[in-house]
Amino acid sequence: MKVQEDLPVFYAKKSLGQNFLISEAIARKIAVASLVEGDCGAIEIGPAYGALTKELAPLFKKVVAIEIDEQLILQLEHNLLQNNINNVKIIHGDILKQDLCKIIKEEFANLNVVVAANLPYYISTPIIMNLLKPGLGIRAATVMLQKELAERFCAKPGTKNTGAISYPLWYYSRPKKLFNVPKGNFRPIPKVDSAVVKFDILNVPAVKVMDENLFFALIRESFKKRRKTLLNSLCVYLGLNKNEFSSILNICGFDLQIRPEQLTLQNFATLANLLVEELSIDFKKIS
Ligand code: SAM
């Protein structure tokens, strides 16, 4: 592994989640893992000095790199020039404020679009949720995350490590943890290890849901009190008494003692659809 110890590590804004990758081998591994079939274009989030950008550029027809920190952009432009890289477009801005649909249409005609990033950890969850939104046309997102978060994201709904966040992620994609990255591979060295996860984004959501707002609200509400049974945590929220909600759970085939993390995606979909069909429960009225 070639380690670039000469990075100006004194320049790192903690507030922007700046922990720079110093392993070329790991950057290359992420770039290769982010490819999908056919001619591809990549969106990179937070390129900084270009550790990952340099590995993406030769593999992709085009890279669009979005960086919030203007000072880093000057250095990135210089580094790309020095490496004779000319298929990277740099956008200065906040990833959460970009019109990704427009960027994809304008910059990646006829290309399969993926995202690759060593994410700024303070906003990894909202970034990923935005990327998975249906209709954007992103095929996959291969991203570095804090290891614990990566494990939570990859825990299949209905298994031990599931959290409320696992459900929307698995509804829109197939997340898979690829490999761990120990914290010594970054400067400055962060407190925790990282891991790379690839989200293969689904063309259609994993389960059929009649009212997505209600479906996600049931998941959110039941995980607010994850130690409680579904019966106890949801009946007040839904405005039902225990007998009414017990019979709904019975129709779904659920044990009355069932807790949220025991429910699969399909289980929550079944419950949400039944509430709409049988009781005409309308998300707008209960929220
Ligand atoms: N890709 C580089 C690497 O692997 O060494 C840097 C990764 S560093 C963990 C995260 C990067 O995201 C930083 O360059 C930071 O400035 C940038 N960043 C932070 N918040 C951002 C935002 N809201 N929009 C775009 N970039 C952001």
Side-chain angles (χ1 to χ4, degrees), residues 2 13 46 109 162 193 246:
K2 186 172 171 230
K13 290 179 184 156
T162 308
D193 291 333
S246 298

PDB file of all heavy atoms in Angstrom, residues 2 13 46 109 162 193 246:
ATOM      1  N   LYS A   2       0.616   2.157  -0.983  1.00  0.00           N
ATOM      2  CA  LYS A   2       1.416   3.379  -1.026  1.00  0.00           C
ATOM      3  C   LYS A   2       0.716   4.451  -0.186  1.00  0.00           C
ATOM      4  O   LYS A   2      -0.412   4.841  -0.469  1.00  0.00           O
ATOM      5  CB  LYS A   2       1.562   3.832  -2.475  1.00  0.00           C
ATOM      6  CG  LYS A   2       2.502   4.999  -2.616  1.00  0.00           C
ATOM      7  CD  LYS A   2       2.790   5.294  -4.082  1.00  0.00           C
ATOM      8  CE  LYS A   2       3.542   6.603  -4.167  1.00  0.00           C
ATOM      9  NZ  LYS A   2       2.960   7.513  -5.119  1.00  0.00           N
ATOM     10  N   LYS A  13     -11.264  20.506   8.040  1.00  0.00           N
ATOM     11  CA  LYS A  13     -12.356  21.114   8.800  1.00  0.00           C
ATOM     12  C   LYS A  13     -13.232  20.010   9.380  1.00  0.00           C
ATOM     13  O   LYS A  13     -13.914  19.304   8.637  1.00  0.00           O
ATOM     14  CB  LYS A  13     -13.188  22.008   7.883  1.00  0.00           C
ATOM     15  CG  LYS A  13     -12.456  23.252   7.445  1.00  0.00           C
ATOM     16  CD  LYS A  13     -13.335  24.078   6.525  1.00  0.00           C
ATOM     17  CE  LYS A  13     -12.579  25.271   6.007  1.00  0.00           C
ATOM     18  NZ  LYS A  13     -13.110  25.795   4.752  1.00  0.00           N
ATOM     19  N   GLY A  46     -17.924  15.058  -2.360  1.00  0.00           N
ATOM     20  CA  GLY A  46     -16.802  15.437  -1.494  1.00  0.00           C
ATOM     21  C   GLY A  46     -15.468  14.920  -1.978  1.00  0.00           C
ATOM     22  O   GLY A  46     -14.813  14.135  -1.285  1.00  0.00           O
ATOM     23  N   ALA A 109     -25.841  12.047 -20.463  1.00  0.00           N
ATOM     24  CA  ALA A 109     -26.727  11.482 -21.488  1.00  0.00           C
ATOM     25  C   ALA A 109     -26.188  10.121 -21.931  1.00  0.00           C
ATOM     26  O   ALA A 109     -24.985   9.978 -22.191  1.00  0.00           O
ATOM     27  CB  ALA A 109     -26.799  12.441 -22.673  1.00  0.00           C
ATOM     28  N   THR A 162     -31.503  -4.609  12.965  1.00  0.00           N
ATOM     29  CA  THR A 162     -32.365  -3.692  12.229  1.00  0.00           C
ATOM     30  C   THR A 162     -32.672  -2.434  13.021  1.00  0.00           C
ATOM     31  O   THR A 162     -32.927  -2.489  14.215  1.00  0.00           O
ATOM     32  CB  THR A 162     -33.727  -4.387  11.953  1.00  0.00           C
ATOM     33  OG1 THR A 162     -33.474  -5.630  11.366  1.00  0.00           O
ATOM     34  CG2 THR A 162     -34.603  -3.545  11.070  1.00  0.00           C
ATOM     35  N   ASP A 193     -13.581   3.155  13.028  1.00  0.00           N
ATOM     36  CA  ASP A 193     -13.290   2.533  11.730  1.00  0.00           C
ATOM     37  C   ASP A 193     -14.426   2.796  10.746  1.00  0.00           C
ATOM     38  O   ASP A 193     -15.530   3.174  11.140  1.00  0.00           O
ATOM     39  CB  ASP A 193     -13.133   1.016  11.903  1.00  0.00           C
ATOM     40  CG  ASP A 193     -11.869   0.666  12.687  1.00  0.00           C
ATOM     41  OD1 ASP A 193     -10.907   1.457  12.654  1.00  0.00           O
ATOM     42  OD2 ASP A 193     -11.864  -0.399  13.337  1.00  0.00           O
ATOM     43  N   SER A 246     -55.578  -5.376  18.065  1.00  0.00           N
ATOM     44  CA  SER A 246     -55.226  -6.802  18.201  1.00  0.00           C
ATOM     45  C   SER A 246     -55.819  -7.597  17.048  1.00  0.00           C
ATOM     46  O   SER A 246     -55.168  -8.503  16.492  1.00  0.00           O
ATOM     47  CB  SER A 246     -55.788  -7.393  19.493  1.00  0.00           C
ATOM     48  OG  SER A 246     -55.243  -6.749  20.583  1.00  0.00           O
TER      49      SER A 246
END
